[in-house]
Amino acid sequence: METVVSIVAACRDGAVRAEDIVARSYARIRAHGDPAVFISLRDEREAIAEARALAAQDARSLPLYGVPVAIKDNIDVEGLETTAACPSFAYRASRDAACVARLRRAGAIVIGKTNLDQFATGLVGVRSPYGVPRNPLNASLVPGGSSSGSAVAVAAGLVPLALGTDTAGSGRIPAGLNNIVGIKPSLGLVPTTGVVPACRSLDCVSVFALTADDAFTALQTMAGPDPNDPFARSLGLQALDLPVNGMRIGVPRPEQRQYFGDARAEASFTSALGSLSKIGMDIVDVDFSAMLETAQLLYEGPWVAERACAVGEFIEKHPDAILPITRDIILAGRKLSAVDAFRGNYRLAALRAAASRVLATVDALMVPTTPAAYTLEQVDADPLRLNSRLGTYTNFVNLLDLCGTAVPAAIADDGTPFGVTFLAPAGRDALTASIGRSFHHQTRLPLGALTAAHPPLPVRQEEPGGDIAIAVVGAHLSGMPLNGELQILGARLVERTITSADYKLFALPGAARRPGLLRIADGTGSAIETEIWTLSFEAFGRFIATIPAPLSIGTVRLADGRSVKGFLVEAVATADACDISRFGGWRAFVSSAEVDHAAS
C-alpha cells in the first residue's frame, strides 16, 4: 500500500500517474468486498478524469498530488449525498465542505463517502443501517466509531487518507482499534463548515492515515480559519519534526488507570511506558481525576442537549427512520433545562482549572486510546455500557480544549490492536503529532492491517535556511572544552537527544582524551547521549576540515529513526580503546572516577 508521502513523491518523479493511483484504489475496494465500508462511491471515471487533469498543474505545488481520500458521510462532498448514516436525512450537497475543498485544492482526489455510527453518535462503529464495516485486523472486533468506515478504509489499504469527525473520540478510537494514526486537531483549527453537527461547540474534523507524516500533511492543507465558521480560530501550526527528547509525559497514576479487566490492554500500556523511556522521554504520574470526571460530563451532563439541538427536530418528525439507540440518546437532551446547562458549565470551568494545573507540570499526556477492545458479540449484548467504557480516555478531550494524536502501540497474537494517544492544550497539534510520530516509528509495527513495514522517518540533513545538522557526542557537547569551536562558527543547538541503541562509545588511547562512536550490528550496543547542532554550509566545511583521524563524519542514526551527520570512529582504532558505553555518554564518563584510567 502506498502512503501519502510515497504517492506524492512517485507522482512528482514521474514514476506513476495520478490516475493510476486512483484506479488502484477502486480496484482495491472491489477486491476487499466489504459493502459496509462506503455508503456511496464517486463515479470512477469522473475521479480518474479529475486525477488526469492534475497533470496540467505543477506537482511540486500540490502537497496531496494524486492522493485518494475517503470522506466520512457527515461531511459534504459536492454532487454526493450526505446521509449521516440515516437514509431519510440524506441530501445532495451543492458544494464541498471547507475541509474537502482544501484537500482538493492540494491535489487530493475524493473516492467516496464512508460509513459511520448514525449522526456520529457512538464509539463502537456498529450503529448504522448500512451495516458494520469489518475490522480488517480481527473480524470479531468492533471497528470503533463513529468514524468506522474511514478508519477501516485506511487500515485495509483502500485509501491512504480519510477524514472523520471527532466530538467524543470518533477520530481516535477507530484509529486505536485499526492500528492506524488519527489526528484530532485543536477545536477550530480546521473549519467545520459543511459538516453535519453533533455537538457543534465540540466538533472537529479529524484525519486518519497510516503514518503521522501522512496525517499531518493533510492537516496542514486544511488548517486555517473560515469566515463562514464562527467556531474557527487562528491557532497556527508548527512543523511536524519538533524535538521531543527529554519531554515530560504525564500519564494517569497507576490506581487511576482503567482497563475493565482487559489484561492485554494493561500489558500493552505498561510496555508503551517503557518505549517512551527508550526514546528519551521522562514519565510523570499525574492526577487524572479532573479528566475522568470531565469525561462523564459529555453524556451525563447537558452537552447531550447540543446533539438534540443539532438533529433533534428531524428525529422527532421521523422517529421510525432513526435507530432506536441513537434516537433515545439524542432525544434525552430535550429533557435538559437551561439551569442544567449553566450548572454543567460551572462544573466544567472548575474541572478545566484543575486540569490546567496538571497540564502545566508536563509537556504532554499519554493515555490508552481505548481502555479495552470489545467484540461485536460483547457490544451487542451490552451496547450502552461498553460504548461508554470506550470513551474513558477520549470524552474529556474536547471539553478541556485539548488536541491529540492517536498512534498504534501493539498488536496481540490474535490481531487485537492497542494504541495510545498523546494530548496537549489547544494549539500544540504539531507537538502531539511529533511525539506520536517518534513513538509510532520505534514500535516497528506493520501499517494498518497490511504487511508493509513502517517506513523510515525522512532523513533531514538540511535545516531551514540551508543549515546542516551535525550530531556531536564528545568534547563539542555544551559546556565541554571544545564546544567553543562550534560557537565561533555560529553553530546553533537545536536538540539534545540520544542515538539508536546500536552504538558503542570508546575512550580512545592517548594523552588527549577523545571519544569514538562506532555503530555495531551484534545486538550489544547502547543509546548514547548526543546533541544536534546546525551550521551554515560554509561553517560546516570549515568545521569538518579540522577533524583528525581516526575520527570522521558519517551518518548517525537517532533513537526516533532520524539520521544526521555526526562524528564516527574507524573500527580499527577501537582495538586498544576502552569501551565506555555503559556510561551512556561522554559527559557522564568524564565526570566518573574511571576517566584517568581509561585514557591512559
Side-chain angles (χ1 to χ4, degrees):
M1 174 61 193
E2 301 97 346
T3 62
V4 169
V5 170
S6 67
I7 287 172
V8 173
C11 287
R12 287 175 176 174
D13 292 343
V16 68
R17 299 179 305 173
E19 57 261 43
D20 296 331
I21 295 291
V22 170
R24 283 207 289 264
S25 270
Y26 280 96
R28 287 168 177 154
I29 291 168
R30 287 189 288 269
H32 186 63
D34 183 357
V37 176
F38 285 87
I39 290 177
S40 63
L41 282 172
R42 190 177 174 201
D43 181 81
E44 183 174 358
R45 291 169 297 179
E46 179 185 319
I48 289 175
E50 184 178 322
R52 186 178 297 118
L54 289 174
Q57 300 189 52
D58 179 9
R60 300 197 177 276
S61 69
L62 301 176
L64 296 175
Y65 187 100
V67 174
V69 59
I71 309 296
K72 185 177 180 179
D73 200 18
N74 61 343
I75 303 173
D76 287 349
V77 173
E78 183 180 354
L80 296 182
E81 282 194 336
T82 300
T83 72
C86 178
S88 297
F89 178 80
Y91 61 89
R92 190 167 299 276
S94 60
R95 64 179 63 186
D96 288 332
C99 55
V100 174
R102 292 176 181 183
L103 290 181
R104 279 181 151 161
R105 285 198 296 269
I109 307 297
V110 173
I111 299 298
K113 307 291 292 296
T114 53
N115 204 353
L116 66 151
D117 282 314
Q118 192 171 68
F119 290 115
T121 303
L123 296 173
V124 284
V126 304
R127 300 173 178 175
S128 171
Y130 295 97
V132 179
R134 184 174 64 250
N135 189 311
L137 282 96
N138 183 337
S140 70
L141 296 177
V142 296
S146 61
S147 310
S148 54
S150 287
V152 168
V154 171
L158 310 183
V159 292
L161 182 68
L163 294 189
T165 59
D166 189 302
T167 304
S170 299
R172 292 160 281 156
I173 286 173
L177 292 174
N178 286 276
N179 192 50
I180 60 174
V181 172
I183 289 183
K184 188 223 78 70
S186 299
L187 293 174
L189 179 65
V190 177
T192 55
T193 314
V195 177
V196 178
C199 294
R200 194 175 179 195
S201 67
L202 301 177
D203 294 341
C204 60
V205 175
S206 60
V207 188
F208 295 107
L210 294 170
T211 70
D213 291 84
D214 286 1
F216 198 78
T217 298
L219 179 63
Q220 287 175 309
T221 70
M222 297 188 296
D226 175 7
N228 297 313
D229 181 3
F231 290 94
R233 49 184 176 168
S234 298
L235 292 169
L237 197 59
Q238 293 178 281
L240 175 60
D241 54 351
L242 296 178
V244 299
N245 179 254
M247 286 191 174
R248 291 166 56 85
I249 308 298
V251 300
R253 291 173 178 169
E255 66 273 16
Q256 294 176 320
R257 298 172 195 169
Q258 301 181 37
Y259 307 102
F260 303 104
D262 192 324
R264 288 175 305 195
E266 182 174 6
S268 294
F269 189 70
T270 300
S271 178
L273 296 177
S275 297
L276 276 185
S277 297
K278 289 179 183 177
I279 57 177
M281 299 187 203
D282 297 326
I283 299 168
V284 182
D285 289 339
V286 298
D287 182 6
F288 247 69
S289 55
M291 290 75 162
L292 295 174
E293 183 179 343
T294 302
Q296 299 301 312
L297 281 180
L298 190 60
Y299 281 100
E300 297 176 12
W303 283 270
V304 178
E306 199 169 2
R307 291 184 182 267
C309 179
V311 293
E313 184 176 348
F314 173 85
I315 293 174
E316 288 182 334
K317 290 180 178 179
H318 307 86
D320 295 335
I322 313 301
L323 297 177
I325 192 169
T326 307
R327 182 181 63 233
D328 292 347
I329 291 170
I330 294 177
L331 291 186
R334 293 282 193 175
K335 302 174 183 177
L336 294 161
S337 68
V339 172
D340 295 320
F342 279 109
R343 186 179 292 120
N345 273 289
Y346 296 157
R347 184 56 189 155
L348 178 59
L351 292 170
R352 279 179 171 169
S356 293
R357 290 191 290 271
V358 172
L359 288 161
T361 67
V362 295
D363 295 295
L365 303 174
M366 184 181 83
V367 296
T369 302
T370 62
Y374 296 118
T375 65
L376 295 164
E377 184 179 4
Q378 288 173 315
V379 168
D380 184 59
D382 195 356
L384 287 173
R385 188 163 65 114
L386 298 193
N387 184 89
S388 177
R389 284 181 177 179
L390 285 178
T392 300
Y393 295 109
T394 60
N395 283 356
F396 62 83
V397 173
N398 285 343
L399 284 169
L400 295 180
D401 199 12
L402 307 179
C403 59
T405 300
V407 297
I411 302 177
D413 291 340
D414 66 354
T416 299
F418 176 83
V420 295
T421 299
F422 295 96
L423 302 167
R428 301 183 188 176
D429 302 80
L431 173 66
T432 65
S434 295
I435 297 171
R437 177 185 193 243
S438 294
F439 179 93
H440 185 202
H441 184 268
Q442 63 83 38
T443 66
R444 298 298 193 270
L445 289 170
L447 299 180
L450 311 170
T451 57
H454 196 298
L457 292 176
V459 175
R460 185 175 177 184
Q461 302 295 353
E462 187 174 331
E463 294 291 316
D467 289 351
I468 298 177
I470 185 169
V472 299
V473 296
H476 288 94
L477 292 166
S478 301
M480 302 298 283
L482 299 184
N483 183 252
E485 293 181 359
L486 287 170
Q487 302 278 3
I488 291 172
L489 291 170
R492 179 174 59 93
L493 175 64
V494 296
E495 183 177 354
R496 292 184 174 91
T497 185
I498 55 174
T499 69
S500 57
D502 49 2
Y503 286 90
K504 284 190 176 182
L505 186 65
F506 295 90
L508 303 179
R513 294 197 297 265
R514 291 184 298 170
L517 185 69
L518 181 68
R519 190 174 184 189
I520 60 171
D522 62 2
T524 63
S526 302
I528 304 299
E529 176 196 10
T530 185
E531 290 180 351
I532 311 300
W533 291 73
T534 60
L535 303 101
S536 68
F537 280 113
E538 179 188 3
F540 182 79
R542 290 165 58 191
F543 181 64
I544 65 173
T546 65
I547 297 172
L551 300 180
S552 63
I553 294 293
T555 299
V556 176
R557 185 168 294 277
L558 304 179
D560 62 7
R562 291 175 294 155
S563 296
V564 296
K565 297 301 181 187
F567 282 93
L568 295 173
V569 67
E570 298 174 10
V572 67
T574 64
D576 298 320
C578 180
D579 184 350
I580 58 170
S581 307
R582 65 187 182 281
F583 291 98
W586 184 251
R587 196 190 308 275
F589 166 67
V590 297
S591 300
S592 72
E594 298 184 34
V595 60
D596 292 330
H597 173 74
S600 61

